[in-house]
Amino acid sequence: MALLEVRNVKKVYQPRLVGVGVEALRDVSFSVGRGEFVAIMGESGSGKTTLLNILAALDTPTSGQVLLEGKDIARARERDLASFRREHLGFVFQDFNLLDALTVRDNVFLPLVLANTPHEEMERRLMPLLKALGIGQLADQYPYELSGGQKQRVAMARALITRPSILLADEPTGALDSHASESLLATLERMNARGQTIVMVTHSVGAASHATRVLFLKDGRIYRQVRRGDHTSDELYAAVSRALAATVGRTSGRGSARPRREGPTSA
């Protein structure tokens, strides 16, 4: 069974006043296996942010199912969702969302504090994770003393300290320069190689080329996907670039785009 299954998800935003609803997602279906690194790409308005919010149980679909570890989070009761998110989901955002009044150590501890984790267990998890992310020396620093790349690594540590089933990343390199972006993406690849499942929304072809699979959204539907297979990051970069150009360049006719699958060398 896949770790994450998205089945026929549809999302319609209905205006407050009488009018035609806006269909953000249209019959989206895909699965994510344990240990995969999946990137989701698409133009602004393609539905990728809506999809990520639904995967994060921050929004609910109009219809369809989202199964994580076999549990339909789209239909879970609100009072159960907070603990479920803490136990199974990690979040990394573009703007870090760190608290400047807290040290790196205390920022990373926050989700464990909310989960009433014993302090000894929190300390036991902290330093191995910070060292794995290359920020072991920053535990007692404050966010305002750090670079953008270091802040994003702290945010990643906070997301991973709970040992989530899946890490959801929303444009994690969007606020970083090219050097910090490449360093962060290499870190994501290493975490994935250790077994961490990752789903990342990104506009960046370079970021997507670090994934093991790339899904392309257009007009609220998955239009095509590209798999890494045995190909290098450079080969995947070229394939993703071609697939993105074909997806964006296709004449839009809502409902006309049908999902396509292709390998990195045939995009």
Coordinates of all heavy atoms in Angstrom, one line a residue, residues 112-197:
L112 N 7.7 19.2 19.5 CA 7.8 18.2 20.5 C 7.2 18.7 21.8 O 6.6 17.9 22.6 CB 9.2 17.8 20.7 CG 9.9 17.1 19.5 CD1 11.3 16.7 19.9 CD2 9.1 15.9 19.1
V113 N 7.4 20.0 22.1 CA 6.8 20.6 23.3 C 5.2 20.5 23.2 O 4.6 20.1 24.2 CB 7.2 22.0 23.5 CG1 6.4 22.7 24.6 CG2 8.7 22.2 23.8
L114 N 4.7 20.8 22.0 CA 3.2 20.7 21.8 C 2.7 19.2 22.0 O 1.6 19.0 22.4 CB 2.9 21.2 20.5 CG 3.1 22.7 20.3 CD1 2.8 23.1 18.8 CD2 2.2 23.5 21.2
A115 N 3.6 18.3 21.7 CA 3.2 16.9 21.8 C 3.6 16.3 23.2 O 3.4 15.1 23.4 CB 4.0 16.1 20.7
N116 N 4.0 17.2 24.1 CA 4.3 16.7 25.5 C 5.4 15.7 25.5 O 5.4 14.7 26.3 CB 3.1 16.2 26.2 CG 2.0 17.3 26.4 OD1 2.3 18.4 26.8 ND2 0.8 17.0 26.0
T117 N 6.4 15.8 24.6 CA 7.5 14.9 24.6 C 8.4 15.1 25.8 O 8.8 16.3 26.1 CB 8.3 15.0 23.3 OG1 7.4 14.9 22.2 CG2 9.4 14.0 23.2
P118 N 8.9 14.1 26.5 CA 9.8 14.3 27.6 C 11.1 15.0 27.1 O 11.6 14.8 26.0 CB 10.1 12.9 28.1 CG 9.0 12.1 27.6 CD 8.5 12.7 26.3
H119 N 11.6 15.9 28.0 CA 12.8 16.7 27.7 C 14.0 15.9 27.3 O 14.7 16.2 26.4 CB 13.1 17.7 28.8 CG 14.2 18.6 28.5 ND1 14.0 19.7 27.6 CD2 15.5 18.6 28.8 CE1 15.2 20.4 27.5 NE2 16.1 19.7 28.2
E120 N 14.2 14.8 28.0 CA 15.3 13.9 27.7 C 15.2 13.4 26.2 O 16.3 13.3 25.5 CB 15.4 12.7 28.6 CG 15.6 13.1 30.1 CD 14.4 13.7 30.8 OE1 13.3 13.6 30.2 OE2 14.5 14.2 31.9
E121 N 14.0 13.0 25.8 CA 13.9 12.5 24.4 C 14.1 13.7 23.4 O 14.7 13.5 22.3 CB 12.5 12.0 24.2 CG 12.1 11.5 22.8 CD 13.0 10.4 22.3 OE1 13.7 9.7 23.1 OE2 13.0 10.2 21.1
M122 N 13.7 14.9 23.8 CA 13.9 16.0 22.9 C 15.4 16.3 22.7 O 15.9 16.5 21.6 CB 13.2 17.3 23.5 CG 11.7 17.2 23.5 SD 10.9 18.4 24.6 CE 11.5 19.9 23.9
E123 N 16.1 16.3 23.8 CA 17.6 16.5 23.7 C 18.2 15.3 22.9 O 19.2 15.6 22.2 CB 18.1 16.6 25.1 CG 17.8 17.9 25.8 CD 18.5 19.1 25.3 OE1 19.4 18.9 24.4 OE2 18.2 20.2 25.7
R124 N 17.8 14.1 23.1 CA 18.4 13.0 22.4 C 18.3 13.1 20.9 O 19.1 12.7 20.2 CB 17.7 11.7 22.9 CG 18.4 10.4 22.5 CD 17.8 9.2 23.1 NE 16.5 9.0 22.5 CZ 16.3 8.4 21.3 NH1 17.3 7.9 20.6 NH2 15.0 8.2 20.8
R125 N 17.1 13.6 20.5 CA 16.9 13.8 19.0 C 17.6 15.0 18.4 O 17.9 15.0 17.2 CB 15.4 13.9 18.7 CG 14.6 12.7 19.1 CD 13.1 12.9 18.6 NE 12.2 11.9 19.1 CZ 11.0 11.8 18.7 NH1 10.5 12.6 17.9 NH2 10.2 10.8 19.2
L126 N 17.8 16.0 19.2 CA 18.2 17.3 18.6 C 19.6 17.3 17.9 O 19.6 17.6 16.7 CB 18.3 18.4 19.7 CG 18.7 19.8 19.3 CD1 17.6 20.3 18.4 CD2 18.9 20.7 20.5
M127 N 20.7 17.0 18.6 CA 22.0 17.2 18.0 C 22.3 16.3 16.8 O 22.8 16.8 15.8 CB 23.1 17.1 19.1 CG 23.1 18.2 20.1 SD 23.0 19.9 19.3 CE 24.5 19.9 18.4
P128 N 21.9 15.0 16.8 CA 22.1 14.2 15.6 C 21.4 14.8 14.4 O 22.0 14.8 13.3 CB 21.5 12.9 16.0 CG 21.6 12.8 17.5 CD 21.3 14.2 17.9
L129 N 20.2 15.4 14.6 CA 19.5 16.0 13.5 C 20.1 17.3 13.0 O 20.3 17.5 11.8 CB 18.0 16.2 13.9 CG 17.1 16.9 12.9 CD1 17.1 16.1 11.6 CD2 15.7 17.1 13.4
L130 N 20.5 18.1 14.0 CA 21.2 19.4 13.6 C 22.5 19.1 12.9 O 22.8 19.8 11.9 CB 21.4 20.3 14.8 CG 20.2 20.8 15.6 CD1 20.6 21.8 16.7 CD2 19.2 21.5 14.6
K131 N 23.2 18.1 13.4 CA 24.5 17.8 12.7 C 24.3 17.3 11.3 O 25.0 17.6 10.4 CB 25.3 16.8 13.6 CG 25.8 17.4 14.8 CD 26.6 16.4 15.7 CE 27.1 17.0 17.0 NZ 27.8 16.0 17.9
A132 N 23.2 16.4 11.1 CA 22.9 15.9 9.8 C 22.6 17.0 8.8 O 22.8 16.9 7.6 CB 21.8 14.9 9.9
L133 N 22.0 18.1 9.3 CA 21.6 19.2 8.5 C 22.7 20.3 8.4 O 22.5 21.3 7.8 CB 20.3 19.9 9.0 CG 19.1 19.0 8.9 CD1 17.9 19.6 9.7 CD2 18.7 18.8 7.5
G134 N 23.9 20.0 9.0 CA 25.0 20.9 8.9 C 24.9 22.2 9.8 O 25.5 23.2 9.5
I135 N 24.1 22.2 10.8 CA 23.9 23.3 11.7 C 24.1 23.0 13.2 O 23.5 23.7 14.0 CB 22.5 24.0 11.5 CG1 21.4 22.9 11.6 CG2 22.4 24.7 10.1 CD1 20.0 23.5 11.6
G136 N 24.8 22.0 13.4 CA 25.0 21.5 14.8 C 25.6 22.6 15.7 O 25.4 22.7 16.9
Q137 N 26.4 23.5 15.1 CA 27.1 24.6 15.8 C 26.2 25.8 16.1 O 26.6 26.7 16.8 CB 28.3 25.1 15.1 CG 28.0 26.0 13.9 CD 27.6 25.2 12.6 OE1 27.2 24.0 12.7 NE2 27.6 25.9 11.5
L138 N 24.9 25.7 15.6 CA 24.0 26.9 15.7 C 23.0 26.7 16.8 O 22.1 27.6 16.9 CB 23.4 27.2 14.4 CG 24.3 27.4 13.2 CD1 23.5 27.6 11.9 CD2 25.2 28.6 13.5
A139 N 23.0 25.7 17.6 CA 21.9 25.4 18.5 C 21.5 26.6 19.4 O 20.3 26.7 19.8 CB 22.2 24.1 19.3
D140 N 22.5 27.3 19.9 CA 22.2 28.4 20.8 C 22.2 29.8 20.2 O 22.1 30.8 20.9 CB 23.3 28.4 21.9 CG 23.3 27.1 22.7 OD1 22.2 26.7 23.1 OD2 24.4 26.5 23.0
Q141 N 22.2 29.8 18.8 CA 22.0 31.1 18.1 C 20.5 31.4 18.0 O 19.7 30.6 18.2 CB 22.6 31.0 16.7 CG 24.1 30.6 16.7 CD 25.0 31.8 17.3 OE1 25.4 31.6 18.4 NE2 25.1 32.8 16.5
Y142 N 20.3 32.7 17.6 CA 18.9 33.1 17.4 C 18.7 33.3 15.9 O 19.6 33.6 15.1 CB 18.6 34.5 18.1 CG 18.5 34.3 19.6 CD1 19.7 34.3 20.4 CD2 17.3 34.1 20.2 CE1 19.6 34.1 21.8 CE2 17.2 33.9 21.6 CZ 18.3 33.9 22.4 OH 18.2 33.7 23.7
P143 N 17.5 33.1 15.4 CA 17.2 33.2 14.0 C 17.7 34.5 13.3 O 18.2 34.5 12.2 CB 15.7 33.1 13.9 CG 15.3 32.3 15.0 CD 16.2 32.7 16.1
Y144 N 17.6 35.6 14.0 CA 18.1 36.9 13.4 C 19.6 37.0 13.2 O 20.1 37.9 12.6 CB 17.6 38.1 14.2 CG 18.0 38.1 15.7 CD1 19.3 38.6 16.1 CD2 17.1 37.7 16.7 CE1 19.7 38.6 17.4 CE2 17.5 37.7 18.0 CZ 18.8 38.2 18.4 OH 19.2 38.2 19.7
E145 N 20.3 36.0 13.8 CA 21.7 35.9 13.6 C 22.1 35.0 12.5 O 23.3 34.9 12.2 CB 22.4 35.4 14.9 CG 22.1 36.3 16.1 CD 22.7 35.7 17.4 OE1 22.4 34.5 17.7 OE2 23.4 36.4 18.1
L146 N 21.2 34.4 11.8 CA 21.5 33.4 10.8 C 21.2 33.9 9.4 O 20.4 34.8 9.2 CB 20.6 32.2 11.0 CG 20.6 31.6 12.4 CD1 19.7 30.4 12.5 CD2 22.0 31.2 12.9
S147 N 21.9 33.2 8.4 CA 21.6 33.5 7.0 C 20.3 32.8 6.6 O 19.7 32.0 7.3 CB 22.7 33.0 6.1 OG 22.7 31.5 6.2
G148 N 19.8 33.2 5.4 CA 18.6 32.6 4.9 C 18.7 31.1 4.8 O 17.8 30.3 5.2
G149 N 19.8 30.6 4.3 CA 20.0 29.2 4.1 C 20.0 28.5 5.5 O 19.5 27.4 5.6
Q150 N 20.7 29.1 6.5 CA 20.7 28.5 7.8 C 19.3 28.5 8.4 O 18.9 27.5 9.1 CB 21.7 29.3 8.7 CG 23.1 29.1 8.3 CD 24.1 30.0 9.0 OE1 23.7 31.2 9.4 NE2 25.3 29.6 9.2
K151 N 18.5 29.5 8.2 CA 17.2 29.6 8.8 C 16.3 28.5 8.2 O 15.5 27.8 8.9 CB 16.5 30.9 8.4 CG 17.1 32.1 9.2 CD 16.3 33.4 8.8 CE 16.9 34.6 9.6 NZ 16.2 35.8 9.1
Q152 N 16.5 28.2 6.9 CA 15.7 27.2 6.2 C 16.1 25.8 6.8 O 15.2 24.9 6.9 CB 15.8 27.2 4.7 CG 14.8 26.4 4.0 CD 13.4 26.8 4.2 OE1 12.9 26.6 5.4 NE2 12.7 27.3 3.2
R153 N 17.4 25.6 7.1 CA 17.8 24.3 7.7 C 17.2 24.1 9.1 O 16.8 23.0 9.5 CB 19.3 24.2 7.7 CG 19.9 24.0 6.3 CD 21.4 24.2 6.4 NE 22.0 24.1 5.0 CZ 22.4 23.0 4.5 NH1 22.3 21.8 5.2 NH2 22.9 22.9 3.3
V154 N 17.1 25.2 9.8 CA 16.5 25.2 11.1 C 15.0 24.8 11.0 O 14.5 24.0 11.7 CB 16.6 26.5 11.9 CG1 15.8 26.5 13.2 CG2 18.1 26.8 12.2
A155 N 14.3 25.4 10.0 CA 12.9 25.1 9.7 C 12.8 23.6 9.3 O 11.8 23.0 9.7 CB 12.4 26.0 8.6
M156 N 13.8 23.1 8.6 CA 13.7 21.7 8.2 C 13.9 20.8 9.4 O 13.2 19.8 9.6 CB 14.8 21.4 7.2 CG 14.6 20.1 6.5 SD 15.9 19.7 5.3 CE 15.8 21.2 4.2
A157 N 14.8 21.2 10.3 CA 15.0 20.5 11.6 C 13.7 20.4 12.4 O 13.4 19.4 12.9 CB 16.2 21.1 12.4
R158 N 13.1 21.6 12.5 CA 11.8 21.6 13.2 C 10.8 20.7 12.6 O 10.0 20.0 13.3 CB 11.3 23.1 13.2 CG 10.0 23.3 14.0 CD 9.5 24.7 13.9 NE 9.3 25.0 12.5 CZ 9.2 26.3 12.1 NH1 9.2 27.3 12.9 NH2 9.0 26.6 10.8
A159 N 10.8 20.6 11.3 CA 9.8 19.7 10.6 C 10.1 18.2 10.8 O 9.3 17.4 10.9 CB 9.8 20.1 9.1
L160 N 11.4 17.9 10.9 CA 11.9 16.6 10.9 C 12.0 16.0 12.4 O 12.1 14.8 12.5 CB 13.2 16.4 10.2 CG 13.2 16.6 8.7 CD1 14.6 16.7 8.1 CD2 12.4 15.5 8.0
I161 N 12.1 16.9 13.4 CA 12.3 16.4 14.7 C 11.2 15.5 15.2 O 11.5 14.6 16.1 CB 12.4 17.6 15.7 CG1 13.0 17.2 17.0 CG2 11.1 18.3 15.9 CD1 14.5 17.1 17.1
T162 N 10.0 15.6 14.7 CA 8.9 14.7 15.1 C 9.0 13.3 14.3 O 8.1 12.5 14.6 CB 7.6 15.3 14.8 OG1 7.4 15.6 13.4 CG2 7.4 16.6 15.6
R163 N 9.9 13.2 13.4 CA 10.1 12.0 12.6 C 8.8 11.7 11.8 O 8.2 10.6 12.0 CB 10.5 10.8 13.5 CG 11.8 11.0 14.2 CD 12.1 9.9 15.2 NE 13.5 10.1 15.7 CZ 14.0 9.4 16.8 NH1 13.2 8.5 17.3 NH2 15.2 9.7 17.2
P164 N 8.4 12.7 11.0 CA 7.1 12.6 10.3 C 7.1 11.5 9.2 O 8.2 11.1 8.6 CB 6.9 13.9 9.7 CG 8.3 14.4 9.4 CD 9.1 13.9 10.6
S165 N 5.9 11.0 8.9 CA 5.8 10.0 7.8 C 6.2 10.7 6.5 O 6.8 10.1 5.6 CB 4.4 9.5 7.7 OG 4.0 8.9 8.9
I166 N 5.8 12.0 6.3 CA 6.0 12.7 5.1 C 6.4 14.1 5.4 O 5.8 14.8 6.3 CB 4.7 12.6 4.2 CG1 5.0 13.1 2.8 CG2 3.5 13.2 4.8 CD1 3.9 12.7 1.8
L167 N 7.3 14.7 4.6 CA 7.7 16.1 4.7 C 7.1 16.8 3.6 O 7.3 16.5 2.4 CB 9.3 16.2 4.7 CG 9.8 17.6 4.7 CD1 9.6 18.2 6.1 CD2 11.3 17.6 4.4
L168 N 6.3 17.9 3.9 CA 5.7 18.7 2.8 C 6.5 20.0 2.8 O 6.6 20.7 3.8 CB 4.2 19.0 3.2 CG 3.3 17.7 3.3 CD1 2.0 18.1 3.8 CD2 3.3 17.0 2.0
A169 N 7.0 20.3 1.6 CA 7.8 21.6 1.4 C 7.2 22.5 0.4 O 6.9 22.1 -0.7 CB 9.2 21.2 1.0
D170 N 6.9 23.7 0.8 CA 6.2 24.7 -0.1 C 7.3 25.7 -0.5 O 7.7 26.6 0.3 CB 5.1 25.4 0.7 CG 4.3 26.3 -0.2 OD1 4.5 26.3 -1.4 OD2 3.4 27.0 0.3
E171 N 7.7 25.6 -1.7 CA 8.8 26.5 -2.3 C 9.9 26.7 -1.3 O 10.2 27.8 -0.9 CB 8.1 27.9 -2.6 CG 7.0 27.8 -3.7 CD 7.6 27.7 -5.1 OE1 8.9 27.6 -5.2 OE2 6.8 27.6 -6.0
P172 N 10.6 25.6 -0.9 CA 11.6 25.8 0.2 C 12.8 26.6 -0.2 O 13.5 27.1 0.7 CB 11.9 24.3 0.5 CG 11.7 23.6 -0.8 CD 10.4 24.2 -1.3
T173 N 13.0 26.8 -1.5 CA 14.2 27.6 -1.9 C 13.8 28.9 -2.4 O 14.7 29.7 -2.9 CB 15.0 26.8 -3.0 OG1 14.1 26.7 -4.2 CG2 15.4 25.4 -2.6
G174 N 12.5 29.3 -2.3 CA 12.0 30.5 -2.9 C 12.7 31.8 -2.3 O 12.8 32.8 -3.0
A175 N 13.1 31.8 -1.1 CA 13.7 33.0 -0.4 C 15.2 32.9 -0.3 O 15.9 33.7 0.3 CB 13.1 33.2 0.9
L176 N 15.8 31.9 -1.0 CA 17.3 31.7 -0.9 C 18.0 32.0 -2.2 O 17.4 32.0 -3.3 CB 17.5 30.2 -0.6 CG 16.8 29.6 0.6 CD1 17.2 28.1 0.8 CD2 17.1 30.4 1.9
D177 N 19.3 32.4 -2.0 CA 20.1 32.6 -3.2 C 20.5 31.2 -3.8 O 20.2 30.2 -3.3 CB 21.4 33.4 -2.9 CG 22.3 32.8 -1.9 OD1 22.4 31.5 -1.8 OD2 22.9 33.5 -1.1
S178 N 21.2 31.3 -5.0 CA 21.4 30.0 -5.7 C 22.3 29.1 -4.9 O 22.1 27.9 -4.9 CB 22.1 30.3 -7.1 OG 23.3 31.1 -6.9
H179 N 23.3 29.6 -4.2 CA 24.2 28.7 -3.5 C 23.5 28.1 -2.3 O 23.6 26.8 -2.1 CB 25.4 29.5 -3.0 CG 26.3 28.7 -2.1 ND1 27.2 27.8 -2.6 CD2 26.5 28.7 -0.7 CE1 27.9 27.2 -1.6 NE2 27.5 27.8 -0.5
A180 N 22.7 28.9 -1.6 CA 22.0 28.3 -0.5 C 20.9 27.3 -0.9 O 20.6 26.3 -0.3 CB 21.3 29.4 0.4
S181 N 20.3 27.6 -2.1 CA 19.3 26.7 -2.7 C 19.9 25.3 -3.0 O 19.3 24.3 -2.6 CB 18.7 27.3 -3.9 OG 18.0 28.5 -3.6
E182 N 21.0 25.3 -3.7 CA 21.7 24.1 -4.0 C 22.1 23.3 -2.8 O 21.9 22.1 -2.7 CB 22.9 24.3 -4.9 CG 22.5 24.6 -6.4 CD 21.7 23.4 -7.0 OE1 22.1 22.3 -6.9 OE2 20.7 23.7 -7.6
S183 N 22.6 24.0 -1.8 CA 23.0 23.3 -0.5 C 21.8 22.7 0.1 O 21.8 21.5 0.6 CB 23.7 24.3 0.4 OG 24.0 23.7 1.6
L184 N 20.7 23.4 0.2 CA 19.5 22.9 0.8 C 18.9 21.7 0.1 O 18.5 20.7 0.7 CB 18.4 24.0 0.9 CG 17.1 23.6 1.6 CD1 17.3 23.5 3.1 CD2 16.0 24.5 1.3
L185 N 18.9 21.8 -1.3 CA 18.3 20.7 -2.1 C 19.2 19.4 -1.9 O 18.7 18.3 -1.9 CB 18.2 21.1 -3.5 CG 17.2 22.2 -3.8 CD1 17.4 22.9 -5.2 CD2 15.8 21.6 -3.7
A186 N 20.5 19.6 -1.9 CA 21.4 18.5 -1.6 C 21.1 17.8 -0.3 O 21.1 16.6 -0.1 CB 22.9 18.9 -1.7
T187 N 20.8 18.7 0.7 CA 20.4 18.2 2.0 C 19.1 17.4 1.9 O 18.9 16.3 2.5 CB 20.2 19.3 3.0 OG1 21.5 20.0 3.1 CG2 19.9 18.8 4.4
L188 N 18.1 17.9 1.2 CA 16.8 17.2 1.0 C 17.1 15.8 0.4 O 16.5 14.8 0.7 CB 15.9 18.0 0.2 CG 15.1 19.1 0.8 CD1 14.3 19.9 -0.2 CD2 14.2 18.6 1.9
E189 N 18.0 15.8 -0.6 CA 18.3 14.5 -1.3 C 18.9 13.5 -0.3 O 18.6 12.3 -0.3 CB 19.3 14.8 -2.4 CG 18.6 15.2 -3.7 CD 19.5 15.0 -4.9 OE1 20.4 15.9 -5.2 OE2 19.4 14.0 -5.6
R190 N 19.8 14.0 0.6 CA 20.4 13.1 1.6 C 19.4 12.6 2.6 O 19.4 11.4 2.9 CB 21.5 13.9 2.3 CG 22.8 14.1 1.5 CD 23.9 14.5 2.4 NE 23.7 15.7 3.2 CZ 24.0 16.9 2.8 NH1 24.5 17.1 1.6 NH2 23.7 18.0 3.5
M191 N 18.5 13.5 3.0 CA 17.4 13.0 3.9 C 16.5 12.0 3.2 O 16.1 11.0 3.8 CB 16.6 14.2 4.4 CG 17.4 15.3 5.1 SD 18.4 14.7 6.5 CE 17.1 14.2 7.7
N192 N 16.2 12.2 1.9 CA 15.4 11.2 1.2 C 16.2 9.9 1.0 O 15.6 8.8 1.1 CB 15.1 11.8 -0.2 CG 14.4 10.8 -1.1 OD1 14.9 10.5 -2.1 ND2 13.2 10.4 -0.7
A193 N 17.5 10.0 0.8 CA 18.3 8.8 0.7 C 18.3 8.0 2.0 O 18.4 6.7 2.0 CB 19.7 9.1 0.3
R194 N 18.0 8.6 3.1 CA 17.9 8.0 4.4 C 16.5 7.4 4.7 O 16.3 6.9 5.7 CB 18.3 8.9 5.5 CG 19.8 9.3 5.5 CD 20.1 10.3 6.6 NE 21.5 10.7 6.5 CZ 22.1 11.5 7.4 NH1 21.4 11.9 8.5 NH2 23.4 11.9 7.3
G195 N 15.6 7.6 3.7 CA 14.3 7.1 3.8 C 13.2 8.1 4.0 O 12.0 7.6 4.1
Q196 N 13.5 9.4 4.1 CA 12.4 10.3 4.4 C 11.6 10.6 3.1 O 12.1 10.9 2.1 CB 13.0 11.7 4.8 CG 12.0 12.8 5.1 CD 11.1 12.4 6.2 OE1 11.5 12.2 7.3 NE2 9.8 12.4 5.9
T197 N 10.3 10.4 3.2 CA 9.4 10.7 2.1 C 9.2 12.2 2.0 O 8.9 12.9 3.0 CB 8.1 10.0 2.3 OG1 8.3 8.6 2.5 CG2 7.2 10.2 1.1

